[in-house]
Amino acid sequence: MRGGENGDSGSLDQATKDFLGARPQLFGIAYRLVGSAVEAEDIVQEAWVRWQNTDRAGIREPAAFLATVTTRLAINFTQSARVRRESYVGPWLPEPVNTSLDPQLGAERAEALDMAVLLLLEKLNPVERAAYVLREAFDYTYGRIADIVETSEANARQLVSRARRRLAAERREPVDSTEHRRFLEVFLAAAQNGRLSVLEKVLTEDVVSYSDGGGIRGASKIPVLGLPHVSRYLVAFAPRFWPQADVRWVEANGRPAVLISADGHAVALLSVDVSARGIERIMWVMNPAKLAPYVASLDG
């Protein structure tokens, strides 16, 4: 007999309670795997529908069952999303999330949440990404990861190890939040004033600037690479962009960030990736479809 169809309100009440208890973790898993809060919500909703229509009598650990369903749904979604993102206009950046109320976003640790990490996770295959997220953020055992992604425990270890190596090869150790904010403050002031000499001091030689407008706003359709190009790019658009802009310090994905508005409307969320060398990546989320949910979350 299927739990969602047997007319037993008590059974459905318990199912609802189990789902709501697991929901923060489910969203945290889905978001880290797909890089979009809106798409993560869709995945969690699908997990709820499946949970309602499951024979729950023999399920001893509802949270574990729901995490497995959510992870597999997210893996499938990521596989199809790759095709769609190939036709995305301009650089693709993760959809930002407000972590001020839940710094770890439903996880054991606030890992695999930073915008730069989510961007790099896109380079992993979906199963590698899932194994890495479940281990690093949610502290799942390798045996449990193996069950979820349907592989051996030894292979689960290899998946996580391979993901760690790839991320370590592409990203230097980030600074702490205090130092991160200091770099962002200096960068913001220099960018607003078009101060080339200051920008050259805080940006790394191989800095990359990504502008995600999704083809909707006048954002750069290719990443800007290297200190000379990025610094000149910032100086060139400073007189047009900043005089009409209002800035608000916010938190996004566990890091200080800056929300930029004009005429009362959000036009960009500025995030940076900072190592001891300086600013490695500059990320401008300008796509209104990505900004709107984030701004709504700030206002409760």
Side-chain angles (χ1 to χ4, degrees):
M1 189 176 291
R2 302 179 77 80
E5 299 167 357
N6 61 11
D8 185 347
S9 61
S11 173
L12 190 55
D13 285 347
Q14 185 60 48
T16 303
K17 184 183 294 186
D18 290 337
F19 177 80
L20 292 177
R23 195 184 190 290
Q25 185 183 95
L26 305 183
F27 179 81
I29 291 171
Y31 173 73
R32 287 169 169 85
L33 293 190
V34 303
S36 164
V38 172
E39 291 166 350
E41 288 286 3
D42 290 344
I43 289 167
V44 171
Q45 185 61 31
E46 176 62 22
W48 164 240
V49 171
R50 295 194 180 196
W51 179 236
Q52 287 177 291
N53 294 323
T54 293
D55 182 356
R56 299 181 295 275
I59 297 174
R60 296 180 182 178
E61 297 183 54
F65 177 88
L66 286 162
T68 299
V69 170
T70 300
T71 302
R72 291 177 182 173
L73 286 170
I75 288 172
N76 291 339
F77 181 91
T78 302
Q79 289 167 335
S80 63
R82 288 193 165 209
V83 177
R84 293 196 302 277
R85 286 175 188 168
E86 286 174 3
S87 61
Y88 192 82
V89 179
W92 178 93
L93 290 173
E95 181 188 325
V97 286
N98 176 14
T99 47
S100 60
L101 297 179
D102 181 5
Q104 298 180 169
L105 205 66
E108 294 292 319
R109 298 186 290 268
E111 298 297 322
L113 190 53
D114 189 292
M115 290 281 282
V117 173
L118 289 173
L119 181 59
L120 292 176
L121 285 176
E122 285 287 304
K123 297 184 178 183
L124 304 180
N125 72 50
V127 176
E128 281 179 337
R129 184 169 182 161
Y132 177 83
V133 163
L134 292 173
R135 180 64 181 172
E136 297 300 308
F138 295 88
D139 201 26
Y140 280 23
T141 65
Y142 288 108
R144 192 171 169 197
I145 293 168
D147 289 341
I148 291 173
V149 302
E150 300 177 293
T151 189
S152 67
E153 185 171 337
N155 195 46
R157 289 180 181 274
Q158 289 182 343
L159 289 168
V160 175
S161 178
R162 193 156 60 233
R164 284 174 178 158
R165 286 197 304 271
R166 289 194 65 182
L167 291 177
E170 299 209 32
R171 189 186 187 219
R172 290 175 173 82
E173 185 70 25
V175 298
D176 63 30
S177 284
T178 301
E179 191 71 355
H180 184 106
R181 170 142 182 164
R182 187 183 73 79
F183 267 97
L184 184 51
E185 286 174 344
V186 173
F187 170 78
L188 178 63
Q192 287 174 310
N193 297 317
R195 296 181 63 187
L196 184 61
S197 61
V198 178
L199 290 170
E200 290 174 340
K201 290 178 182 177
V202 296
L203 302 178
T204 60
E205 280 294 330
D206 49 358
V207 63
V208 184
S209 178
Y210 302 90
S211 301
D212 179 343
I216 299 172
R217 295 191 188 278
S220 174
K221 292 183 180 179
I222 58 171
V224 183
L225 310 175
L227 176 58
H229 294 106
V230 171
S231 55
R232 286 199 295 267
Y233 172 75
L234 293 167
V235 169
F237 81 66
R240 300 193 302 273
F241 184 73
W242 293 107
Q244 66 223 14
D246 297 312
V247 300
R248 173 184 174 185
W249 282 90
V250 292
E251 180 181 303
N253 296 66
R255 291 287 192 173
V258 175
L259 183 65
I260 304 161
S261 301
D263 300 322
H265 299 287
V267 295
L269 181 78
L270 166 63
S271 300
V272 292
D273 183 29
V274 189
S275 75
R277 300 194 318 159
I279 294 174
E280 307 272 358
R281 295 173 181 83
I282 308 166
M283 294 162 284
W284 309 84
V285 177
M286 305 176 76
N287 186 336
K290 294 184 179 183
L291 282 176
Y294 177 79
V295 173
S297 73
L298 293 178
D299 299 331

